[in-house]
Amino acid sequence: MGKSELFNRIRSVFGADQLKQVAQYCLDYWPDMAAQVIRTADEVCENRFLFEFEWDLEQTHETVAFGKEIDWSLVPFGDREFLWQFNRHRFLIYLGQAYQMTGNERYAVHCVRLIEGWIEQTVGQENVDDGPWRTLETGLRAEAWLRALYLIEDSAAVDDKLARLVEDCIDRHIRRLMDSFHEHKYFSNWGVLENSGLLLWSMAANCTETDRRYIQKKALERLVKAAKLQILPDGMQREQSPMYHAEVYACFRNVLYYGEKACIPIPEEIRSTVRKMACVQGIWKKPDHTQFTQGDSDAFDVRDQITSAAYIFRDPVLKYWSYDRLGFEDAWQFGYTACMEYENLESRRPEFLSGQLPFSGNYYFRNSWEKSGNLLHFCCGGTGGGHGHVDALHVDLVINGEDILVDSGRYTYVDCKERYFLKEPSAHNVVIVDGKAAGQCETSWIYCKISSCIKQGYREGENWGYVEGSHLGYIEDGLVVSRRVIWIKPDIYVIADYFYGTGRHGFENHFHFGRQGNVTLKDKTAHFTGIQTEAWLQSVSESGTGILSTGIHSLFYNELGDNQIYCEQDAAEGKFHKIFVVNGGKTGDAVPVSVKRLPLYTCPGESVMDAEDGEALNILAGDREYLLVLCSQETTNQQMVHCGTCYGYGKTMLFNLAGKKGEIVTGEILEWW
């Protein structure tokens, strides 16, 4: 067997039509990305490696340079993640793309050199679980090798010797992935990343058709079971990390796309999984098109992820969330005809704004799809395993397209104080009781304590949105923590925390601000001034002490910056609550809302309710006026409550008072008992 046989198999599946036109398309429409790819390819030719592309699972910000010989098992900076990112070999695709865009043979020559060198150095290490043949990389290498080889096929550097080495190594990859699978991987992203690679490797393997079909059958069986176990009915991957959701989605998408090109019957479970996972990325996409840094995630632009699904499914709504034309990587994967087809695909705005992922416990209040939109994210789901963080009842908030309240990110996987801090509650916009974390890390990947969430109400009205959840992280201390978030459209957010229990406890409400802005503090009101946005976080409670401090914030792996944190400290006996009101808008146009606490009365009886059982907030915003009633104790004998001329019965009620002075107002029930 030689070059022609191997490349016939590769070309039929991993080939893309009209490569010269694709190259020119990318140079014309994606010049920055094209320049970055060529620059990276030049560095790789010199044995210099830096991982700075979007969707590199673990980015680096310092170049690692080798001499003539590459050590494929190197662990620099004490972070083994470099070794694994390095051995995914994504840079081989960049060498192939640079070869096509420039016609320079050196890129193909070095692509061949690196593949042959890697094989020579690492063959025989297949059973070493923490080296270049770790099973995760063994799966992910498939797309990198097979796409890169197609891109350099017509180079004189590609010969029969390389083909024989590659064919033998493909067989080793397949045996490694076939033999190392265990049942627990059905529930892990590893099961998807490994077996998507197994399916891709099988398409290029030098084996009988009987063997090929057997390998493909096993890979698809594993993938279907993984989809059923780890992709929740709402479409989110169960690890509570948009970053790993995207990686699992990309692997399922490759299975669907390349599988159908190879004329393999792809189960409907995989097709529906790809569509659902793409839709989830649209639901949580921020106004600046990036994803939240929830769990172990980086702030990457998700449009390229959704674009590929929009093309595969020819879906107008997915295209609305995507780029107007095929992205750089999509063009190389799908070919030039696809570029033209995509431009003619209709784009249609979704019929909804807000959305919920109720199985994973993620909720999104959105006022528009514009770049200047507002978006609130509320977390009330499982921890999600090693890639999830202890973020029960955390809130992210974007106003006028800018981050106001943020998740602090991930930064590193190395066992260190920064890793633990960023995974635990104090790095999130949550409440900490008695100085103790509701969940604690034992190692970088294992928790010795987690906090179970209780999902409660989520609903939306014409003028409001409401979500509520609780967690049991302090149940051993006799305390249940509950949070309600009320959105008064389009720009007022009320965060009300309730503590049900006995004994005296100390409370800390933490709020982490976007690092692009500056925060000042006056009378327990934190004033955020950003690039073109300002916002105010007001503490409504009379008691408590507000403190402004500096924290750490990571947008990308191996990247760390400073941001500001507002912490309000308080203490109380028995049942207690804290309320905060946030609003904002374009700098110069926005002003803080006026908030006044008012007592509630029962009706009939006219008894004044204890403030811990129920109270009202009068909220003034320009010519808008609202009364928000918040109760934590159902009245006896089903008595109504009232404040002034506002009457109602329920746990949470909103009254729009504009133009209704002196009238009896019944308002809207946001949550019943």
Side-chain angles (χ1 to χ4, degrees), residues 4 6 9 17 37 67 93-94 96 116 131 139 152 158 238 253 317 321 323 402 407 471 492 501 508 592 621 643:
S4 62
L6 172 65
R9 295 191 295 272
D17 70 307
V37 163
I93 296 177
Y94 304 145
E116 291 182 342
I152 65 169
V158 178
R238 61 101 188 159
R253 180 201 62 207
V317 172
W321 287 324
Y323 290 120
E402 287 192 47
D407 185 307
H471 74 72
I492 302 171
E508 297 176 5
C643 179

PDB file of all heavy atoms in Angstrom, residues 4 6 9 17 37 67 93-94 96 116 131 139 152 158 238 253 317 321 323 402 407 471 492 501 508 592 621 643:
ATOM      1  N   SER A   4      -1.285   6.654  -2.833  1.00  0.00           N
ATOM      2  CA  SER A   4      -2.540   6.825  -3.559  1.00  0.00           C
ATOM      3  C   SER A   4      -3.710   6.186  -2.827  1.00  0.00           C
ATOM      4  O   SER A   4      -4.806   6.765  -2.748  1.00  0.00           O
ATOM      5  CB  SER A   4      -2.423   6.260  -4.974  1.00  0.00           C
ATOM      6  OG  SER A   4      -2.149   4.865  -4.936  1.00  0.00           O
ATOM      7  N   LEU A   6      -4.068   5.501   0.459  1.00  0.00           N
ATOM      8  CA  LEU A   6      -4.395   6.247   1.677  1.00  0.00           C
ATOM      9  C   LEU A   6      -5.122   7.540   1.344  1.00  0.00           C
ATOM     10  O   LEU A   6      -6.168   7.862   1.945  1.00  0.00           O
ATOM     11  CB  LEU A   6      -3.116   6.559   2.458  1.00  0.00           C
ATOM     12  CG  LEU A   6      -3.299   7.519   3.658  1.00  0.00           C
ATOM     13  CD1 LEU A   6      -4.173   6.896   4.738  1.00  0.00           C
ATOM     14  CD2 LEU A   6      -1.935   7.916   4.248  1.00  0.00           C
ATOM     15  N   ARG A   9      -8.789   7.395   0.316  1.00  0.00           N
ATOM     16  CA  ARG A   9      -9.710   7.283   1.449  1.00  0.00           C
ATOM     17  C   ARG A   9      -9.875   8.624   2.162  1.00  0.00           C
ATOM     18  O   ARG A   9     -10.987   9.013   2.540  1.00  0.00           O
ATOM     19  CB  ARG A   9      -9.218   6.209   2.427  1.00  0.00           C
ATOM     20  CG  ARG A   9      -9.208   4.802   1.854  1.00  0.00           C
ATOM     21  CD  ARG A   9      -8.973   3.758   2.936  1.00  0.00           C
ATOM     22  NE  ARG A   9      -7.652   3.864   3.549  1.00  0.00           N
ATOM     23  CZ  ARG A   9      -6.557   3.264   3.103  1.00  0.00           C
ATOM     24  NH1 ARG A   9      -6.608   2.507   2.014  1.00  0.00           N
ATOM     25  NH2 ARG A   9      -5.401   3.401   3.738  1.00  0.00           N
ATOM     26  N   ASP A  17     -13.964  20.999  -1.772  1.00  0.00           N
ATOM     27  CA  ASP A  17     -13.827  21.350  -3.180  1.00  0.00           C
ATOM     28  C   ASP A  17     -13.171  22.711  -3.375  1.00  0.00           C
ATOM     29  O   ASP A  17     -13.283  23.591  -2.534  1.00  0.00           O
ATOM     30  CB  ASP A  17     -15.196  21.321  -3.866  1.00  0.00           C
ATOM     31  CG  ASP A  17     -16.086  22.463  -3.417  1.00  0.00           C
ATOM     32  OD1 ASP A  17     -16.267  22.634  -2.194  1.00  0.00           O
ATOM     33  OD2 ASP A  17     -16.579  23.210  -4.281  1.00  0.00           O
ATOM     34  N   VAL A  37      -2.809  32.471  11.006  1.00  0.00           N
ATOM     35  CA  VAL A  37      -2.482  31.091  10.637  1.00  0.00           C
ATOM     36  C   VAL A  37      -1.101  31.029   9.992  1.00  0.00           C
ATOM     37  O   VAL A  37      -0.277  30.158  10.329  1.00  0.00           O
ATOM     38  CB  VAL A  37      -3.565  30.520   9.698  1.00  0.00           C
ATOM     39  CG1 VAL A  37      -3.066  29.266   8.978  1.00  0.00           C
ATOM     40  CG2 VAL A  37      -4.829  30.215  10.486  1.00  0.00           C
ATOM     41  N   GLY A  67      14.877  23.174  20.163  1.00  0.00           N
ATOM     42  CA  GLY A  67      15.978  23.191  19.215  1.00  0.00           C
ATOM     43  C   GLY A  67      15.614  22.335  18.017  1.00  0.00           C
ATOM     44  O   GLY A  67      14.478  22.330  17.554  1.00  0.00           O
ATOM     45  N   ILE A  93      -2.983  21.469  10.881  1.00  0.00           N
ATOM     46  CA  ILE A  93      -3.963  22.059   9.963  1.00  0.00           C
ATOM     47  C   ILE A  93      -3.498  23.435   9.510  1.00  0.00           C
ATOM     48  O   ILE A  93      -3.639  23.795   8.332  1.00  0.00           O
ATOM     49  CB  ILE A  93      -5.347  22.151  10.632  1.00  0.00           C
ATOM     50  CG1 ILE A  93      -5.878  20.749  10.946  1.00  0.00           C
ATOM     51  CG2 ILE A  93      -6.332  22.897   9.731  1.00  0.00           C
ATOM     52  CD1 ILE A  93      -7.213  20.743  11.668  1.00  0.00           C
ATOM     53  N   TYR A  94      -2.918  24.210  10.418  1.00  0.00           N
ATOM     54  CA  TYR A  94      -2.451  25.545  10.043  1.00  0.00           C
ATOM     55  C   TYR A  94      -1.322  25.454   9.006  1.00  0.00           C
ATOM     56  O   TYR A  94      -1.246  26.284   8.091  1.00  0.00           O
ATOM     57  CB  TYR A  94      -1.968  26.318  11.271  1.00  0.00           C
ATOM     58  CG  TYR A  94      -3.017  26.427  12.349  1.00  0.00           C
ATOM     59  CD1 TYR A  94      -2.664  26.409  13.698  1.00  0.00           C
ATOM     60  CD2 TYR A  94      -4.369  26.539  12.041  1.00  0.00           C
ATOM     61  CE1 TYR A  94      -3.622  26.497  14.692  1.00  0.00           C
ATOM     62  CE2 TYR A  94      -5.333  26.628  13.022  1.00  0.00           C
ATOM     63  CZ  TYR A  94      -4.958  26.602  14.349  1.00  0.00           C
ATOM     64  OH  TYR A  94      -5.909  26.683  15.335  1.00  0.00           O
ATOM     65  N   GLY A  96      -1.047  23.109   6.776  1.00  0.00           N
ATOM     66  CA  GLY A  96      -1.718  22.794   5.514  1.00  0.00           C
ATOM     67  C   GLY A  96      -2.429  23.995   4.921  1.00  0.00           C
ATOM     68  O   GLY A  96      -2.387  24.225   3.696  1.00  0.00           O
ATOM     69  N   GLU A 116       6.189  12.594  11.008  1.00  0.00           N
ATOM     70  CA  GLU A 116       7.151  11.486  11.066  1.00  0.00           C
ATOM     71  C   GLU A 116       7.931  11.509  12.375  1.00  0.00           C
ATOM     72  O   GLU A 116       8.168  10.452  12.983  1.00  0.00           O
ATOM     73  CB  GLU A 116       8.106  11.559   9.875  1.00  0.00           C
ATOM     74  CG  GLU A 116       7.438  11.253   8.540  1.00  0.00           C
ATOM     75  CD  GLU A 116       8.405  11.284   7.376  1.00  0.00           C
ATOM     76  OE1 GLU A 116       9.509  11.866   7.519  1.00  0.00           O
ATOM     77  OE2 GLU A 116       8.061  10.729   6.308  1.00  0.00           O
ATOM     78  N   GLY A 131       0.726  10.713  28.836  1.00  0.00           N
ATOM     79  CA  GLY A 131       1.677  11.233  27.866  1.00  0.00           C
ATOM     80  C   GLY A 131       1.010  11.568  26.544  1.00  0.00           C
ATOM     81  O   GLY A 131      -0.208  11.790  26.472  1.00  0.00           O
ATOM     82  N   GLY A 139      -8.028  10.607  20.348  1.00  0.00           N
ATOM     83  CA  GLY A 139      -9.237  10.876  19.585  1.00  0.00           C
ATOM     84  C   GLY A 139      -9.186  12.187  18.838  1.00  0.00           C
ATOM     85  O   GLY A 139      -9.528  12.256  17.649  1.00  0.00           O
ATOM     86  N   ILE A 152      -2.063  18.935   2.186  1.00  0.00           N
ATOM     87  CA  ILE A 152      -0.703  18.896   1.625  1.00  0.00           C
ATOM     88  C   ILE A 152      -0.524  17.732   0.651  1.00  0.00           C
ATOM     89  O   ILE A 152       0.607  17.430   0.247  1.00  0.00           O
ATOM     90  CB  ILE A 152       0.364  18.814   2.739  1.00  0.00           C
ATOM     91  CG1 ILE A 152       0.244  17.492   3.521  1.00  0.00           C
ATOM     92  CG2 ILE A 152       0.270  20.018   3.676  1.00  0.00           C
ATOM     93  CD1 ILE A 152       1.416  17.218   4.455  1.00  0.00           C
ATOM     94  N   VAL A 158       5.136  14.635   0.324  1.00  0.00           N
ATOM     95  CA  VAL A 158       4.240  13.543   0.706  1.00  0.00           C
ATOM     96  C   VAL A 158       4.522  12.355  -0.205  1.00  0.00           C
ATOM     97  O   VAL A 158       4.288  12.414  -1.419  1.00  0.00           O
ATOM     98  CB  VAL A 158       2.761  13.981   0.588  1.00  0.00           C
ATOM     99  CG1 VAL A 158       1.834  12.828   0.940  1.00  0.00           C
ATOM    100  CG2 VAL A 158       2.493  15.182   1.476  1.00  0.00           C
ATOM    101  N   ARG A 238     -23.750  18.131  30.295  1.00  0.00           N
ATOM    102  CA  ARG A 238     -24.064  18.127  31.725  1.00  0.00           C
ATOM    103  C   ARG A 238     -22.967  18.707  32.629  1.00  0.00           C
ATOM    104  O   ARG A 238     -23.198  18.920  33.814  1.00  0.00           O
ATOM    105  CB  ARG A 238     -24.389  16.704  32.162  1.00  0.00           C
ATOM    106  CG  ARG A 238     -23.266  15.682  31.980  1.00  0.00           C
ATOM    107  CD  ARG A 238     -22.538  15.402  33.270  1.00  0.00           C
ATOM    108  NE  ARG A 238     -21.367  14.592  33.066  1.00  0.00           N
ATOM    109  CZ  ARG A 238     -20.368  14.551  33.950  1.00  0.00           C
ATOM    110  NH1 ARG A 238     -20.424  15.252  35.063  1.00  0.00           N
ATOM    111  NH2 ARG A 238     -19.316  13.821  33.714  1.00  0.00           N
ATOM    112  N   ARG A 253     -20.767  17.154  15.930  1.00  0.00           N
ATOM    113  CA  ARG A 253     -20.983  17.759  14.609  1.00  0.00           C
ATOM    114  C   ARG A 253     -20.090  17.095  13.558  1.00  0.00           C
ATOM    115  O   ARG A 253     -20.528  16.821  12.441  1.00  0.00           O
ATOM    116  CB  ARG A 253     -20.688  19.255  14.687  1.00  0.00           C
ATOM    117  CG  ARG A 253     -20.880  20.022  13.389  1.00  0.00           C
ATOM    118  CD  ARG A 253     -20.096  21.313  13.445  1.00  0.00           C
ATOM    119  NE  ARG A 253     -18.666  21.067  13.577  1.00  0.00           N
ATOM    120  CZ  ARG A 253     -17.804  21.907  14.140  1.00  0.00           C
ATOM    121  NH1 ARG A 253     -18.218  23.053  14.651  1.00  0.00           N
ATOM    122  NH2 ARG A 253     -16.524  21.603  14.205  1.00  0.00           N
ATOM    123  N   VAL A 317     -32.625  30.394  11.635  1.00  0.00           N
ATOM    124  CA  VAL A 317     -32.450  30.949  12.981  1.00  0.00           C
ATOM    125  C   VAL A 317     -31.018  30.762  13.448  1.00  0.00           C
ATOM    126  O   VAL A 317     -30.409  31.677  14.018  1.00  0.00           O
ATOM    127  CB  VAL A 317     -33.446  30.314  13.968  1.00  0.00           C
ATOM    128  CG1 VAL A 317     -33.129  30.742  15.400  1.00  0.00           C
ATOM    129  CG2 VAL A 317     -34.879  30.715  13.615  1.00  0.00           C
ATOM    130  N   TRP A 321     -27.864  33.762  14.460  1.00  0.00           N
ATOM    131  CA  TRP A 321     -26.920  33.807  15.581  1.00  0.00           C
ATOM    132  C   TRP A 321     -25.467  33.702  15.112  1.00  0.00           C
ATOM    133  O   TRP A 321     -24.551  33.757  15.931  1.00  0.00           O
ATOM    134  CB  TRP A 321     -27.197  32.653  16.533  1.00  0.00           C
ATOM    135  CG  TRP A 321     -28.445  32.807  17.357  1.00  0.00           C
ATOM    136  CD1 TRP A 321     -28.954  33.955  17.872  1.00  0.00           C
ATOM    137  CD2 TRP A 321     -29.331  31.762  17.788  1.00  0.00           C
ATOM    138  NE1 TRP A 321     -30.091  33.695  18.599  1.00  0.00           N
ATOM    139  CE2 TRP A 321     -30.352  32.357  18.561  1.00  0.00           C
ATOM    140  CE3 TRP A 321     -29.349  30.383  17.601  1.00  0.00           C
ATOM    141  CZ2 TRP A 321     -31.371  31.619  19.149  1.00  0.00           C
ATOM    142  CZ3 TRP A 321     -30.371  29.653  18.176  1.00  0.00           C
ATOM    143  CH2 TRP A 321     -31.371  30.260  18.939  1.00  0.00           C
ATOM    144  N   TYR A 323     -22.201  34.015  11.852  1.00  0.00           N
ATOM    145  CA  TYR A 323     -21.589  34.957  10.927  1.00  0.00           C
ATOM    146  C   TYR A 323     -22.441  35.078   9.666  1.00  0.00           C
ATOM    147  O   TYR A 323     -23.185  34.167   9.313  1.00  0.00           O
ATOM    148  CB  TYR A 323     -20.186  34.496  10.534  1.00  0.00           C
ATOM    149  CG  TYR A 323     -19.159  34.594  11.636  1.00  0.00           C
ATOM    150  CD1 TYR A 323     -18.490  33.467  12.097  1.00  0.00           C
ATOM    151  CD2 TYR A 323     -18.841  35.824  12.214  1.00  0.00           C
ATOM    152  CE1 TYR A 323     -17.528  33.552  13.099  1.00  0.00           C
ATOM    153  CE2 TYR A 323     -17.889  35.925  13.219  1.00  0.00           C
ATOM    154  CZ  TYR A 323     -17.238  34.786  13.651  1.00  0.00           C
ATOM    155  OH  TYR A 323     -16.304  34.880  14.641  1.00  0.00           O
ATOM    156  N   GLU A 402     -22.337  45.492  27.822  1.00  0.00           N
ATOM    157  CA  GLU A 402     -21.110  45.412  28.619  1.00  0.00           C
ATOM    158  C   GLU A 402     -21.316  44.542  29.850  1.00  0.00           C
ATOM    159  O   GLU A 402     -22.382  44.544  30.473  1.00  0.00           O
ATOM    160  CB  GLU A 402     -20.651  46.801  29.059  1.00  0.00           C
ATOM    161  CG  GLU A 402     -20.066  47.638  27.945  1.00  0.00           C
ATOM    162  CD  GLU A 402     -19.353  48.877  28.468  1.00  0.00           C
ATOM    163  OE1 GLU A 402     -18.551  48.752  29.423  1.00  0.00           O
ATOM    164  OE2 GLU A 402     -19.614  49.974  27.943  1.00  0.00           O
ATOM    165  N   ASP A 407     -18.754  36.124  36.216  1.00  0.00           N
ATOM    166  CA  ASP A 407     -18.112  34.944  36.786  1.00  0.00           C
ATOM    167  C   ASP A 407     -16.608  35.144  36.641  1.00  0.00           C
ATOM    168  O   ASP A 407     -16.133  35.630  35.612  1.00  0.00           O
ATOM    169  CB  ASP A 407     -18.576  33.703  36.019  1.00  0.00           C
ATOM    170  CG  ASP A 407     -18.072  32.401  36.603  1.00  0.00           C
ATOM    171  OD1 ASP A 407     -16.858  32.260  36.804  1.00  0.00           O
ATOM    172  OD2 ASP A 407     -18.901  31.498  36.814  1.00  0.00           O
ATOM    173  N   HIS A 471     -30.498  26.515  47.551  1.00  0.00           N
ATOM    174  CA  HIS A 471     -29.505  25.447  47.662  1.00  0.00           C
ATOM    175  C   HIS A 471     -29.369  25.011  49.116  1.00  0.00           C
ATOM    176  O   HIS A 471     -29.766  25.725  50.048  1.00  0.00           O
ATOM    177  CB  HIS A 471     -28.159  25.838  47.049  1.00  0.00           C
ATOM    178  CG  HIS A 471     -27.335  26.817  47.834  1.00  0.00           C
ATOM    179  ND1 HIS A 471     -26.698  26.478  49.017  1.00  0.00           N
ATOM    180  CD2 HIS A 471     -27.003  28.107  47.593  1.00  0.00           C
ATOM    181  CE1 HIS A 471     -26.011  27.528  49.455  1.00  0.00           C
ATOM    182  NE2 HIS A 471     -26.191  28.524  48.624  1.00  0.00           N
ATOM    183  N   ILE A 492     -34.255  46.972  34.879  1.00  0.00           N
ATOM    184  CA  ILE A 492     -34.176  46.972  36.340  1.00  0.00           C
ATOM    185  C   ILE A 492     -34.158  45.527  36.816  1.00  0.00           C
ATOM    186  O   ILE A 492     -34.996  44.712  36.407  1.00  0.00           O
ATOM    187  CB  ILE A 492     -35.364  47.727  36.972  1.00  0.00           C
ATOM    188  CG1 ILE A 492     -35.419  49.177  36.463  1.00  0.00           C
ATOM    189  CG2 ILE A 492     -35.263  47.706  38.494  1.00  0.00           C
ATOM    190  CD1 ILE A 492     -36.686  49.914  36.872  1.00  0.00           C
ATOM    191  N   GLY A 501     -33.874  29.624  58.694  1.00  0.00           N
ATOM    192  CA  GLY A 501     -33.222  28.753  59.656  1.00  0.00           C
ATOM    193  C   GLY A 501     -33.300  29.310  61.051  1.00  0.00           C
ATOM    194  O   GLY A 501     -34.095  30.211  61.353  1.00  0.00           O
ATOM    195  N   GLU A 508     -22.342  37.132  53.780  1.00  0.00           N
ATOM    196  CA  GLU A 508     -21.542  37.949  52.864  1.00  0.00           C
ATOM    197  C   GLU A 508     -22.130  37.824  51.462  1.00  0.00           C
ATOM    198  O   GLU A 508     -22.130  36.745  50.881  1.00  0.00           O
ATOM    199  CB  GLU A 508     -20.084  37.485  52.827  1.00  0.00           C
ATOM    200  CG  GLU A 508     -19.346  37.600  54.143  1.00  0.00           C
ATOM    201  CD  GLU A 508     -17.940  37.026  54.043  1.00  0.00           C
ATOM    202  OE1 GLU A 508     -17.530  36.635  52.920  1.00  0.00           O
ATOM    203  OE2 GLU A 508     -17.270  36.956  55.075  1.00  0.00           O
ATOM    204  N   PRO A 592     -29.482  56.258  38.432  1.00  0.00           N
ATOM    205  CA  PRO A 592     -29.914  55.194  39.343  1.00  0.00           C
ATOM    206  C   PRO A 592     -31.403  55.310  39.657  1.00  0.00           C
ATOM    207  O   PRO A 592     -31.934  56.424  39.776  1.00  0.00           O
ATOM    208  CB  PRO A 592     -29.065  55.431  40.588  1.00  0.00           C
ATOM    209  CG  PRO A 592     -28.688  56.876  40.534  1.00  0.00           C
ATOM    210  CD  PRO A 592     -28.549  57.207  39.079  1.00  0.00           C
ATOM    211  N   ALA A 621     -38.307  55.079  38.256  1.00  0.00           N
ATOM    212  CA  ALA A 621     -37.325  55.158  37.174  1.00  0.00           C
ATOM    213  C   ALA A 621     -37.864  56.115  36.126  1.00  0.00           C
ATOM    214  O   ALA A 621     -38.619  55.720  35.234  1.00  0.00           O
ATOM    215  CB  ALA A 621     -37.071  53.784  36.575  1.00  0.00           C
ATOM    216  N   CYS A 643     -50.293  47.470  50.183  1.00  0.00           N
ATOM    217  CA  CYS A 643     -49.433  48.606  50.481  1.00  0.00           C
ATOM    218  C   CYS A 643     -50.067  49.786  49.769  1.00  0.00           C
ATOM    219  O   CYS A 643     -50.099  49.837  48.532  1.00  0.00           O
ATOM    220  CB  CYS A 643     -48.016  48.360  49.985  1.00  0.00           C
ATOM    221  SG  CYS A 643     -46.875  49.727  50.285  1.00  0.00           S
TER     222      CYS A 643
END
